[in-house]
Amino acid sequence: MEGGAAAAVEVLVQNLIDLCKKEISQIRGLDKDAAKLAGSLDVIKNFLKDAETREITSDAVKSWLKKLENEAFDADNVLDELNYHILSKKIKATKPMKAKVLSCFSSSFNSIARPRKMAVRIKEINENFESIKKEATELGLVARLENEPTLVNAATFETDSFTLDPIFIGRDDVASEIVEMLTNSITTDEQAVSILPIVGMGGLGKTTLTRKVFNRLKDESRFGSHLWVHVSPNFDAITLFKKILNNLTSCQVEIASREDILAKLKEALKDKTYLLVLDDVWNQDGLKWEDFMNSFLGVSCVKGNAIVVTTRNMEVASIVNSLHIHELKGLSEEECWLIIRAKAFGKEDVPSEFEAIGRKIARRCQGLPLAANIVGGVLHNHNKSEEKWRSIEEKWLSPNEGGDNMTKILRLSFDNLSPPLIKKCFAYCAMFPKGSKIMERELIEFWMAEGFLQADGRDDMESVGEKFVNVLLHNSLLQVSERDDDGNVESCGMHDLVHDLACSVSRSSNSTGGSSRVRYMILGDNYCGDESSRIPKEMAKSLRTLLITSKADISDVNFSDLESLHVLQLHSEVKKLPSIRKLIHLRDFDISKTRIEVLPNWIGEFFHLQTLRVDSSDFRIRRKLPSTIKYLINLRHLYINERAELPMGIGRLTCLQTLKYFPVGDENGCKIEELGSLNNLKGELRICNLERVHDKEEAWKANLFEKSKILNLVLKWNLFREGERNDEDVLEGLQPHSDLRVLQIDGFKGSRFPLWTMKMSVGDAPQGSWVLLNKLMSLTLWNCKECEEIPMLGQLPNLKSLVLSGLENRINYFEFVYYIFTATYHLTFFSIK
């Protein structure tokens, strides 16, 4: 199965349009060419809407899309290189004119084509896109406006309540539970209608389960009317009212006004209660749902009704005002095998050799009854051939043996993803091996590096990425693997069948035949087809993401060939950085699992870099960052650990959102005042070595009070220190924002906490008043050995965790514990040592 290329190319084309209109159009001599290119790309983008509906059936359109994709990637490299040159000039203007400083940049600058040469290349790009635009017209593609509706590719199958499901395994208890829940709701609830959504990915058996529930309730005559409506992706109220009326009257409704249809519905329902099943709902528009429900409730005045909604999307379930959301789980391996056995052999005995193979196949179904049914049907045709069963087990479900039916069903989830950027983000996940644990934050940063995430007026790229992850989770195209203590998603996984779908729609397949180009690769998983880690030069030229595992031998990798690379993850035991200086397109660079301790000065030449991971779990490795890191003006995420050394100039990185550790430097290092300009920092911030801060005025320059996105703050002094102490003065100047959720103070050696800490309030300078830290959920005081008083905690309404350790000076713990349990009512965790 193919498809999805149009969505992928649309992402590229939009990025090129943005580059032309913003950066390139401002260059004298290139403005006209940039405007012409942007115009061509706008037209091509409109052709893509039509191409998306034809790419599955038309080989010519597939070929056109592939040509467009390759040209778009090449153009992206050229324009990105020109943008790099613009950035380099801006950086040069901010530097002192010293030969010894400029020399560290000269190599890369001299290798970048100058605007005159770039003008020639842009003219060539213009000509190529003109040719592609002309070919689109010759193919009969129609330019559609962006908001013009397009047809859904995947076939939808009308469901009904009468189809027999002879094999119903593993769901009897669930069906009984839902029947009981609906029965209780209509007898005890005072509401006019009780709504129950059943949510699960394609193939889990939602319709089969609902049909069983529907028919049980029908047999028990719980309702006056039993109505089954298959909704499909198009949620239109009038269409639904017509279907319901047809259900009630057994006659086709001719074209009529909404008012007439509702009047007939009211007459048909009269004083009867109803059970309505809305099967396969995709609508996420709350207003559409309210419009439908308000009208439908108006045609019946009887209480005790029920609506069951089946959907693949948790977002759909959340808007229907339900009494309970039933999230359907997968079957066990044993239950999948029972389905396969029933489909393949009926009531006949199964030979032991067939059963051994069949159980392996059942494991591959991973809990999906639809998969078990499909493969069971295939095996039924070969239930006399052990060799054929082994072949099917080895190949799983190939398209000509039933697999295409499965992927068509799963494909519907993909086809309904919007906007197209999400489709590209989903297809990108095909790069990860089956069974992989995908870290959410890392995945979002990869998407960002590849240009899949576009900030809008409300959300930055990272927030858009989080929304995309949630969309994929809601549509069961990703599954949650791990959550943190606050319930946030930490890692995801993909069902094997969903992974197959991702591979089928991905235009970066791991084959190099024909015109295909590999864009994303994990090296060390034999993706090149042999045991070697060597990447062929032609393949290397088009790679944009390269994740190198510890299994790979990087001595076989020629990094200078990776000229298009945007993401490089180096998880190898190397001690020296390979020759990557010319990789000017790099956006995401990770050496966290290497043994590299010193980064070269030329790291500061990666002006496009957005994410740099140099943190290490190995306490023996102490990473030193060069002073040139201050030139990475697009850096948004810097991952370091407490042992890293920050150079002076970090305050210039005003795009930074992630900087979990800020070790205050000595006289020649990074001062705390450099935090002052980093007002985009988010999440967690741990400020270490606070003994190096001289006084309140210096601490105040960190501007913590203005950093409202810092929710988790750790303030740490070195416990083993000598000399003069000014802890009270410094802590007073480190007053945080009132939105703080977590506060930890470690190694404070003052005898009294400053006023903001004692009051658990922060001074609001413009208003001249105090604002309570009423969002604080966790407070930890470690090794504050000389403190004589404890902060006032009784007025913190959301405090749930309190940890006190090493508070040794004149504190009456018995009185304090009594105070804690009488003044703080919401504590769920309390520790005192």
Side-chain angles (χ1 to χ4, degrees), residues 229 236-248 253 258 261-262 265 291-297 299:
V229 174
D236 176 70
I238 294 180
T239 302
L240 291 178
F241 293 143
K242 284 182 179 180
K243 286 186 176 183
I244 294 169
L245 188 56
N246 291 340
N247 226 310
L248 284 165
V253 178
R258 179 176 180 137
I261 295 171
L262 290 173
L265 264 178
D291 174 58
F292 167 77
M293 282 303 301
N294 289 339
S295 294
F296 196 60
L297 288 172
V299 301

Side-chain angles (χ1 to χ4, degrees), residues 380-625:
H380 173 74
N381 298 323
H382 307 287
N383 62 9
K384 303 298 181 185
S385 171
E386 181 182 344
E387 181 181 348
K388 192 67 178 177
W389 273 47
R390 290 192 186 280
S391 173
I392 291 170
E393 191 270 322
E394 290 170 3
K395 292 189 297 182
W396 183 220
L397 295 173
S398 63
N400 61 348
E401 293 182 31
D404 194 51
N405 293 329
M406 186 68 215
T407 50
K408 277 182 180 176
I409 296 167
L410 290 175
R411 173 64 188 260
L412 193 58
S413 292
F414 172 81
D415 284 332
N416 281 270
L417 292 175
S418 180
L421 288 163
I422 304 181
K423 295 183 179 181
K424 185 61 179 169
C425 291
F426 169 71
Y428 183 86
C429 296
M431 169 182 65
F432 300 100
K434 287 184 178 180
S436 293
K437 185 163 65 175
I438 306 168
M439 303 308 296
E440 188 217 33
R441 180 52 47 187
E442 195 173 68
L443 179 62
I444 290 172
E445 288 164 5
F446 289 168
W447 288 344
M448 186 171 68
E450 288 291 347
F452 302 159
L453 306 180
Q454 302 294 331
D456 56 33
R458 295 167 299 174
D459 299 309
D460 57 19
M461 291 187 287
E462 291 80 2
S463 298
V464 172
E466 289 171 3
K467 288 183 177 180
F468 284 7
V469 169
N470 286 331
V471 169
L472 295 176
L473 288 170
H474 284 318
N475 284 280
S476 302
L477 295 175
L478 284 179
Q479 297 172 324
V480 177
S481 296
E482 293 175 318
R483 294 184 184 271
D484 62 18
D485 294 337
D486 297 322
N488 301 312
V489 177
E490 276 196 339
S491 64
C492 306
M494 296 183 84
H495 191 287
D496 280 1
L497 293 175
V498 175
H499 189 277
D500 292 340
L501 171 67
C503 290
S504 73
V505 300
S506 173
R507 308 310 295 176
S508 54
S509 59
N510 294 301
S511 65
T512 54
S515 60
S516 296
R517 298 187 190 178
V518 179
R519 306 288 181 189
Y520 321 116
M521 175 189 288
I522 298 180
L523 194 62
D525 288 282
N526 298 331
Y527 271 15
C528 294
D530 54 36
E531 296 299 321
S532 170
S533 294
R534 185 184 64 82
I535 306 174
K537 185 170 184 176
E538 281 304 306
M539 182 190 294
K541 286 173 64 177
S542 60
L543 275 178
R544 287 169 67 97
T545 291
L546 178 60
L547 311 184
I548 302 178
T549 72
S550 57
K551 298 177 184 177
D553 181 4
I554 68 167
S555 63
D556 292 336
V557 180
N558 187 351
F559 285 92
S560 62
D561 291 339
L562 302 167
E563 56 190 51
S564 302
L565 211 60
H566 282 54
V567 177
L568 176 59
Q569 186 180 81
L570 192 57
H571 285 181
S572 174
E573 288 291 301
V574 294
K575 295 183 179 181
K576 184 180 179 181
L577 201 61
S579 179
I580 61 169
R581 189 172 183 175
K582 293 183 179 180
L583 306 186
I584 61 170
H585 303 291
L586 212 57
R587 261 90 169 161
D588 192 306
F589 185 38
D590 180 356
I591 58 167
S592 59
K593 290 184 169 60
T594 68
R595 303 190 65 78
I596 299 167
E597 294 198 11
V598 179
L599 290 173
N601 283 332
W602 49 259
I603 285 294
E605 298 173 19
F606 291 155
F607 305 132
H608 285 309
L609 203 64
Q610 297 168 336
T611 302
L612 177 61
R613 290 180 179 267
V614 294
D615 51 328
S616 174
S617 58
D618 189 338
F619 280 82
R620 296 169 296 179
I621 297 176
R622 188 180 184 89
R623 296 234 162 89
K624 186 174 182 179
L625 301 177

Side-chain angles (χ1 to χ4, degrees), residues 94-114:
T94 66
K95 298 171 75 238
M97 295 301 292
K98 295 181 180 179
K100 64 178 182 180
V101 179
L102 289 173
S103 63
C104 73
F105 293 93
S106 59
S107 174
S108 286
F109 286 163
N110 290 335
S111 68
I112 305 301
R114 291 295 186 258

Side-chain angles (χ1 to χ4, degrees), residues 647-676:
M648 289 188 291
I650 291 295
R652 295 173 61 171
L653 306 181
T654 54
C655 291
L656 268 184
Q657 294 185 12
T658 301
L659 183 65
K660 290 186 178 181
Y661 291 94
F662 187 92
V664 179
D666 55 20
E667 295 300 323
N668 298 316
C670 190
K671 302 294 186 183
I672 195 170
E673 63 191 55
E674 298 215 42
L675 274 174

